[in-house]
Amino acid sequence: MSAREWSVAWKTLVARPSRNERGRTALAIVAVALAIAVVVAIRMANRTALESFEQTSRAVAGRGALTVHGPTPISSTLFPRLRWLGAYAEAEPYIDRYAYDPRAHDTLELLGLDWAAEVAHHLPLNRNLIAPGSRQQRRAAVLLTSYYAQRYHYRRGDWLPLVLNGRLVRLWIAGVLPQSKLATAQSGHIALMDVAAEAHLLGQVRGAPLRFDGLQLRLAPGVSEPWLASQVQPFLPADDHVEPAAVRRRQTEKMVSAFAANLRALSYVALLVGAFLIYNTIAMGVVRRRTAIATLRALGASRRAILAVFLAEALLLSVIGGLAGLALGRLLAGLALHLVSMTLNALYTVTHPKAVRFTAGDLVWALILAVGVGLISAWGPAREAARVAPAEGMRPGLYETQFAVAKHRWLWLGLACALLAAVCAKLPAIGTVPFWGFASALMAVLGMGLLLPFAVSHLLRLGRSRLLDPASAAAGRNRWWPLRLSLGLAAASLLSALRRTSVLLAALTTAVAMFIAVAIMVGSFRVTVSTWLGETLRADVFLRARDWTRSNNAPLPREVLRQLERLPGVGAAGEYSAVPETYRGQRIFISTAWSRDLESGRRNVRLAGEASGPMHRGCPLRFLRSAGDWNIWRRGSRRGEVFVSEPFARHFDRWPGRQIQLPTQAGPQKLRIAAVFRDYSSSQGYVFMNLALFEKLYGKPLASSAGLYARPGMTVERLLAQVTQVLASMPGERQALTVNDYQSLWREALKVFDQTFRVTWSLELIALAVAILGVANTLLAVALERRRELAVLLFLGATRRQTRRMLLGEAVWIGALALLFGTLLGVVLAAILIFVINVQSFGWTIQVHAPWTWLLPACLLVFAATLIAALGPAGVAAQVDPVAAVRVE
Amino acid sequence: MVSSSPLVNRPATVVRAVAVEKSYGARERRVAALRGLDLAVSAGEFVAIMGRSGCGKTTLLNLLGAMDQPDRGEIWLEGRNLPQLSEEELTRLRRQRVGFVFQFFNLLPTLTVRENVELPLLLQGETSAIRARVDEVLVAVDLHDRAADTPAQLSGGQMQRVALARALVHRPVLLIADEPTGNLDSISAEQVLTLLKELPARHGAAVVMATHSSEAARFADRVLHMKDGQWTNEAGKP
């Protein structure tokens, strides 16, 4: 293939025709750009969120090469035994807690380190450090990042109010940290104080040995990590261990990996839809230019030149679309990051990701993705173009009917894909990533795409013959005849271009199906969570520390609870505690709950005269497969068994009857699982045990949340007023605690739930937008391509309104068929999402509740959008010049 | 005997053009396609128009067939002056009273032979006795056995016969044929021309055919020659 040959082919087949189809080319580019933008935005948001974890982890606990930690805090009594370490590493204890700033209404990571070393490291010239003040000030001295100080107008010497461990404390801002790795961790939401001071703030008794979260070891030059780890380990208590800091970072990554993988997979839906559209754009170009291709071939152009030209067209579309998508993705990434971090904060741990960063890697990756998808999508039609036989291509009037659609072969392939989808759905997850679940969904989508030509051709044929049947029209007394005629001709038109119709339908069907699937999944999940909340949240008033987060189970001040329990309106109280633990390298929580009848003082008893509910009956859990929660709970508790949450059981494959080994204060303990309970509060595992067992293994628990039950005759409103009044008399506690009644807590939980799915909805809506752009693009091509046929209809006496209606009729068919097949596929995808992907990613069983009441109007909206997308092309169809159109072959 | 006069006053004139002018293009590039042309065609008459490419034949056919409007002059079709009709009235008139046959057949590839032929009736909203009328016309063009085929399965001659059937199924008063044999071999062309002469005449329809072929023109009752938008064998005024 010579350059000249290529240049002639390019000019004839792409450059010149594109001039007359600028609108269509622009639509195709916008569709590709949107698809790439979505993927880029999610990639950037995911990466930034993960980088935030990593950066924080590095800055906080991972600056040393090794960390020492255990199931319980590291005691300072360990230090004398590790004195020999000085020759090989610098050991620094740390405490890491989240605190709530009631003035700024923001969370802050309060990091306790060696104050003198940190000041010397960060503020060597002490320029930003004011002179130490009083003894009280020195004990509460904190370094704040310049970002945080500027954002919330704090200055050196100010007092910083913080809710720490459920109590309001005041810290003295001794200085402002300049820009450094530490200062940029958590996007500046970090404060640094002396580790001993923080230990005392957390309630540790002065003079007693201090307890730390861990010890970081900074290795001297030339010291090997594995060697030092092996040397240190024998000096540690049985359950403590030393490991590379990266292991802990990976733990966080692992924790959010399923969430990130699901988001990535959803973002690729838009790309899949985009791929269908690139395929269609090139395929339509091939059909429309078949005469030119045949002529060029007859004049001596090689197959390779034709192939190269169409691939080059796809490449150009992809590169322009990819670059535009990159720019758009950069803009969308900010929004995506906000939504992603909101979900991570709600479900996993506190994160303050910094602004998204655009890297050269993003550019290269977006281009590779766009070009890869473009070339793969265009390969089929381009190869078909190269195979156009000159004689056949130049035969007039045959249009796309020349391209035989091997719909029966596709049917079998489609059925094979459906079978593969079923097989993949049965395979287990790889780690926590439901790889086979995604493969199953992809196979289902491909299967439907391959089945579409067969199914659509039958339906369109049926529609055409019924609608254009004069006999049945006569029976209808002609009333709807114009409409029937338009729809019948539209069916015939779609049928004649079955491949194009099928591909367009595959794109729209995929987008509609994902929308429906996500709607069913989220709707089902919402109802399930709502029901579960109703079953498990039975107290009337709830209390929690303001600095409570998923990863920071801050305790409630005990004396405040006791004071509230003495209120005349309180009949009973329940408390709940959870402590973080590591099980098989993953973070889990050990939890317990107890309730108390305040009149009798008895624990975990059925409270007479109270409303029914598991908590009131002494059983705080709802079990997965049971009829009689109370008996399971009582029997298991008596035997000293534990209860595990469904995510725990699924992730670790630990079910009733099996044993788990947990690190405890008394060393590793093997415990038998009595039952599995439903838990939708977190995808991290929970091991639940009764109070007696918990106290035996982990000591006296500190309640991280509490519920108060109104006495008979006392309304919730009055009880809430009593609680609020008591807290108002304690200004510190008022700021440190949140108080909710059942209704507001329920609403808040569902609000958080809705927030976590905003990003999912956004992705689905963008995929739908891409597909609808595809409808506009394809129908515009139809209008341009079928000018001659439309002209003939005008010659035969059709009105322009009828030709316009015919194009709209095609949109009606496309919309209706996409909704039909999209609903079928959507139900299948919903089943895969609910029973495979969701279970494997998060370990939740969801009861299916399809939200048809709003899904139906949403589907009608999609249908309306399809029709609106057809208005432009229909206008083009109505403006056909019949005289000119019929003369040109 | 073949007449050469564009204006032969007969009692039942179907279409009549009077001093028709039509130009195309922008001001400085304006090209006159028809320059004050007159024509009258009677019921049952077969008129052939000959001339070089670009002489204005197709323009005249489009004007007679209510597909286009003249810049000046009058065109009367069954007593109605076309320039005075609205777009909608023209469409209705075309749908009910005019049939078209094109050089490139212009069958809809998406429809079967029967559906192609049914189309004018369907567009009219005609729903009764369609099958009988389509059968009748398909028998007349000898394609009844190919009714279920698509155009792609037919030869050029067969396609043009389907086009002819489609043009006649609604029994128009005027049949416009633009180079109907331009794409056909001589045998197929003869078949089509024979049908073109016989079928419309059965119900008194007039035929106006543009052609380059003197062989085809021999089938006409009158042959008119055109050059630069004017008759070259003019023989009188209306």
Side-chain angles (χ1 to χ4, degrees), chain A residues 755-797:
Chain A
Q755 278 174 351
T756 60
F757 282 103
R758 269 188 205 159
V759 66
T760 311
W761 285 122
S762 310
L763 292 176
E764 290 321 313
L765 288 176
I766 291 176
L768 262 179
V770 172
I772 285 169
L773 275 176
V775 173
N777 189 13
T778 307
L779 289 182
L780 191 56
V782 168
L784 296 169
E785 186 183 300
R786 295 202 178 279
R787 269 181 297 205
R788 192 184 177 85
E789 287 172 35
L790 295 170
V792 172
L793 286 174
L794 289 172
F795 265 97
L796 295 179

Side-chain angles (χ1 to χ4, degrees), chain A residues 90-239:
Chain A
E90 201 179 311
E92 187 181 11
Y94 69 87
I95 293 178
D96 183 17
R97 287 289 187 282
Y98 288 103
Y100 176 78
D101 179 349
R103 205 187 99 178
H105 298 291
D106 206 345
T107 47
L108 192 66
E109 189 156 348
L110 187 61
L111 182 59
L113 293 168
D114 181 337
W115 177 259
E118 292 302 320
V119 167
H121 175 71
H122 290 290
L123 308 166
L125 299 176
N126 282 359
R127 267 202 301 251
N128 296 319
L129 188 69
I130 62 170
S134 63
R135 193 174 166 203
Q136 185 200 1
Q137 286 171 333
R138 280 201 307 275
R139 280 183 176 174
V142 68
L143 293 177
L144 209 56
T145 63
S146 54
Y147 166 82
Y148 197 87
Q150 276 170 17
R151 182 166 179 192
Y152 296 118
H153 311 293
Y154 286 115
R155 287 176 307 183
R156 280 179 295 163
D158 283 352
W159 286 95
L160 169 71
L162 284 182
V163 177
L164 181 67
N165 245 21
R167 289 173 194 281
L168 185 70
V169 295
R170 293 199 318 151
L171 301 180
W172 185 64
I173 303 170
V176 174
L177 282 170
Q179 283 296 318
S180 67
K181 199 182 270 184
L182 181 67
T184 52
Q186 287 284 24
S187 292
H189 288 71
I190 199 158
L192 201 150
M193 76 181 301
D194 182 64
V195 67
E198 186 169 348
H200 293 140
L201 267 184
L202 289 168
Q204 296 189 32
V205 182
R206 289 178 193 282
L210 290 173
R211 296 187 305 277
F212 309 106
D213 289 353
L215 203 58
Q216 31 181 326
L217 305 179
R218 292 179 203 167
L219 275 57
V223 177
S224 134
E225 272 182 39
W227 175 82
L228 191 65
S230 66
Q231 297 301 304
V232 171
Q233 191 66 56
F235 291 88
L236 301 177
D239 281 347

